[in-house]
């Protein structure tokens, strides 16, 4: 057996070893420990990089111990080494940032230990090759992240957010456990690669129920609507925790779906559920995000929207694009959270723009038509070059171009200067070009390792039309917002949206979150 799979398995072990040392010195200023934590993360990234290069050149590698329901397996293939490299890189950046950010904190050593332990478990999760390893990694990540969310235990808001996270994540673990048992009954193997291969022969009743539970687990772990509230309330944890959560751990549900893509795609009902849940979550998160004034809270709602869009991509069978979305979102969101402290100063120092051109109904209509015509031209060019041209990919691109049309509307307003119009049209063309270009690159990188997009039947076509119309209507209403923003009804709607339509408050009431926080605060004051 090649030694390279051992290198990938050694990476989390190094992190766990240093984590144990850190947890033994949980207090402030723990000597050289922060430097050791950073070096451990860098060493783990280097080991994963070496193993990934070997796997890319020679093919998938696996390291397995045991058999049956006790199978412990790590697998290094195109999907897992992409995610392992991403997790290793983001983890190293977060730990390096934490050296200064956490310097002098009363529980500085404990923070470094917990962060390294969670990072090690996420690395195991993305490389899992068997059901027991996958389930154990999910449970371990949940336990470790809860401790990080409770880093400031004296804050009632932190305890409430951790309680809601544990509830949602724990139910997801139960759903995943049930799916694992049913998959063992159906396929009599715990190996993820074998399960994916056997799914092509068809699914019995147990397997179909298992897929439904897998989808439920993925929805819960990606903070999908309506149980998204915990993700928007974790701001009481240190900023590095927010970066690690939003740039890494929140992707776990998507990794679960992509790892078992062949199995999930064998169930049309599961795919339809992903399209509907993902689309609703994306639209809801995006609209609420626009009403937020706090930087980190707006970023949290952005994550909700982005995870919904990723689930939508999975439901459409655009697996390479979903994986690309995870990679791009992780890098962007890690940078956004770690640089959020200087965002207010940057905005205040920026040169204030002149009067904003407010587009009328006719200008908005022209902008949407121009964006769609430009998108259709790009689609025709790439189709002529042999790029994918399935309806799911074209529909997803149309949803993206609707967002660009909002910018184009500013350039086509009657009072807009010609320079602004040119810039907006150029931005629209660049977005369409980037979409098809990145789609081609994602298909080239991961297309051979993931199932092909299924043929669209009647149900798929109905969902595609519904999704495109929904995204188009929301973008159209957003473009017209300046025309009715001063209406009293708009002010009231903004308040309701800023509070997430109070869905999170309802969950608080159901689990007694407000009562526990009030009682704790009253006790402290007494």
């Amino acid at each position: 057996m090649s030694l390279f799979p051992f290198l990938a398995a050694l990476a989390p072990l190094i992190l766990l070893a240093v984590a144990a040392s850190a947890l033994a010195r949980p207090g402030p200023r723990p000597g050289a420990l922060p430097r050791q934590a950073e070096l451990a993360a860098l060493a783990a990234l280097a080991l994963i990089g070496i193993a990934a290069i070997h796997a890319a050149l020679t093919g998938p590698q696996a390291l397995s111990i045991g058999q049956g329901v006790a199978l412990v397996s790590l697998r290094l293939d195109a999907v897992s080494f992409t995610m392992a490299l991403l997790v290793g890189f983001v983890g190293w950046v977060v730990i390096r940032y934490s050296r200064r950010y956490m310097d002098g904190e009363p529980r500085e050593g404990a923070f470094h230990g917990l962060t390294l332990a969670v990072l090690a478990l996420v690395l195991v999760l993305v490389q899992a090759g068997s059901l027991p390893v996958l389930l154990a990694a999910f449970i371990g990540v949940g336990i470790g992240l809860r401790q990080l969310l409770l880093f400031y235990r004296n804050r009632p808001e932190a305890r409430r957010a951790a309680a809601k996270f544990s509830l949602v994540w724990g139910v997801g673990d139960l759903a995943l456990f049930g799916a694992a048992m049913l998959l063992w009954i159906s396929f009599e193997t715990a190996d993820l690669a074998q399960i994916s291969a056997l799914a092509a022969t068809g699914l019995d009743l147990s397997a179909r129920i298992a897929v439904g539970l897998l989808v439920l687990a993925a929805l819960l772990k990606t903070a999908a609507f309506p149980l998204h509230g915990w993700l928007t309330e974790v701001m009481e944890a240190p900023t590095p925790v927010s970066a690690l959560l939003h740039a890494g751990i929140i992707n776990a549900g998507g990794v679960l779906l992509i790892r078992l893509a062949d199995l999930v795609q064998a169930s049309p009902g599961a795919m339809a559920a992903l399209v509907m849940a993902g689309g609703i979550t994306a639209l809801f998160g995006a609209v609420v995000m626009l009403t937020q004034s706090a930087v980190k809270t707006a970023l949290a709602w952005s994550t909700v929207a982005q995870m919904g869009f990723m689930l939508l991509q999975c439901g459409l069978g655009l697996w390479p694009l979903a994986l690309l979305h995870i990679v791009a979102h992780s890098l962007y969101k890690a940078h956004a959270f770690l640089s959020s402290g200087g965002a207010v100063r940057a905005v205040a120092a920026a040169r204030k723009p002149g009067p904003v051109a407010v587009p009328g109904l006719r200008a908005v209509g022209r902008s949407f038509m121009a964006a769609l015509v430009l998108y259709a031209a790009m689609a025709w060019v790439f189709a002529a070059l042999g790029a994918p041209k399935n309806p799911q990919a074209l529909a997803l691109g149309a949803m993206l171009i609707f967002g660009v049309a909002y910018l184009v509307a500013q350039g086509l307003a009657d009072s807009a200067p010609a320079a602004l119009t040119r810039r907006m049209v150029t931005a629209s063309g660049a977005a369409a070009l980037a979409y098809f270009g990145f789609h081609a690159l994602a298909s080239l990188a991961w297309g051979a390792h993931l199932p092909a997009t299924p043929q669209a039947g009647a149900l798929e076509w109905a969902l595609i039309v519904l999704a495109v119309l929904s995204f188009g209507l929301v973008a159209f209403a957003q473009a017209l917002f300046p025309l009715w923003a001063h209406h009293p009804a708009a002010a009231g709607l903004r308040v309701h949206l800023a509070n997430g339509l109070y869905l999170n408050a309802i969950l608080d009431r159901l689990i007694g979150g407000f009562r526990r926080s009030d009682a704790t605060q009253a006790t402290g004051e007494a």
Side-chain angles (χ1 to χ4, degrees), residues 355-361 363-364 409-410 412-416 479-484:
V356 177
V358 177
L361 179 61
V364 171
Q410 311 300 314
L412 294 183
D414 294 333
S415 59
L480 291 174
F481 181 76
L483 298 179
W484 50 275

Side-chain angles (χ1 to χ4, degrees), residues 94 97-98 101-102 105 111 115 147-152 155 158 234-245 296 337-338:
V94 169
Y97 178 91
S98 301
Y101 187 91
M102 301 302 296
E105 283 280 348
F111 176 86
T115 304
Q147 295 305 311
L148 286 173
L149 295 178
L150 286 171
F151 187 76
Y152 299 119
R155 300 180 180 180
V234 296
M235 301 304 121
E236 293 300 320
T239 294
V241 177
S242 298
L244 187 62
L245 169 60
K296 291 176 67 176
F337 267 101
L338 296 180

Side-chain angles (χ1 to χ4, degrees), residues 22 125 199 253 274 310 315 350 355 374 389 395 406 452 474 490:
L125 191 156
L274 286 171
M310 184 270 298
L374 183 59
K389 49 186 176 182
Y406 167 75
V474 170

Side-chain angles (χ1 to χ4, degrees), residues 255-494:
V255 173
L256 174 65
L257 294 173
I258 294 171
R259 171 54 66 196
L260 293 168
D262 294 276
L263 178 67
V264 175
Q265 191 162 291
S267 172
M271 299 289 281
L274 286 171
V275 171
M276 291 186 288
I280 291 172
T281 302
L283 290 172
F284 180 72
V287 171
V288 175
M289 179 194 70
L290 297 175
T291 65
Q292 303 301 309
S293 56
V295 174
K296 291 176 67 176
T297 305
L299 288 174
W301 280 103
S302 168
T303 299
V304 172
Q306 293 294 334
M307 289 299 100
F309 204 72
M310 184 270 298
L311 293 172
L312 173 65
Q313 291 169 320
C314 291
L316 292 174
L318 301 171
W319 303 104
L321 277 179
L323 184 55
L324 177 64
H325 191 128
I326 288 177
V327 173
H329 175 259
S330 294
L331 296 174
Y332 151 71
K333 197 54 63 76
H335 174 270
F337 267 101
L338 296 180
S339 62
S340 61
V344 175
R345 291 192 300 270
V347 171
R351 184 174 63 86
K352 299 299 185 291
V356 177
V358 177
L361 179 61
R362 188 171 299 178
V364 171
R366 290 199 306 267
S367 70
F368 274 73
M369 289 300 299
L372 287 174
V373 168
L374 183 59
Y375 173 72
M378 288 288 182
W380 180 83
V381 170
F382 275 84
L385 296 175
K389 49 186 176 182
N390 52 70
Q392 292 94 326
L394 295 175
L396 186 73
M399 297 176 208
L400 291 171
I401 211 69
F402 285 143
V404 179
Y406 167 75
L407 296 178
V408 177
Q410 311 300 314
L412 294 183
D414 294 333
S415 59
L420 177 62
T421 302
R422 289 194 297 269
R423 286 200 300 270
M424 293 302 99
V425 172
T426 302
S428 179
L433 178 62
Y435 172 72
F436 286 106
F438 281 120
H439 191 178
L441 290 175
S443 299
L444 181 64
W446 303 298
H449 308 279
L450 292 168
T453 304
Q455 292 290 330
L459 176 61
E460 288 76 16
W461 272 109
L463 291 173
I464 287 172
V465 172
L466 178 62
V468 171
L469 288 178
S470 299
F471 276 82
L473 287 174
V474 170
F476 196 79
Q478 181 185 352
L480 291 174
F481 181 76
L483 298 179
W484 50 275
H486 302 293
H487 193 278
L493 178 61
R494 184 183 181 86

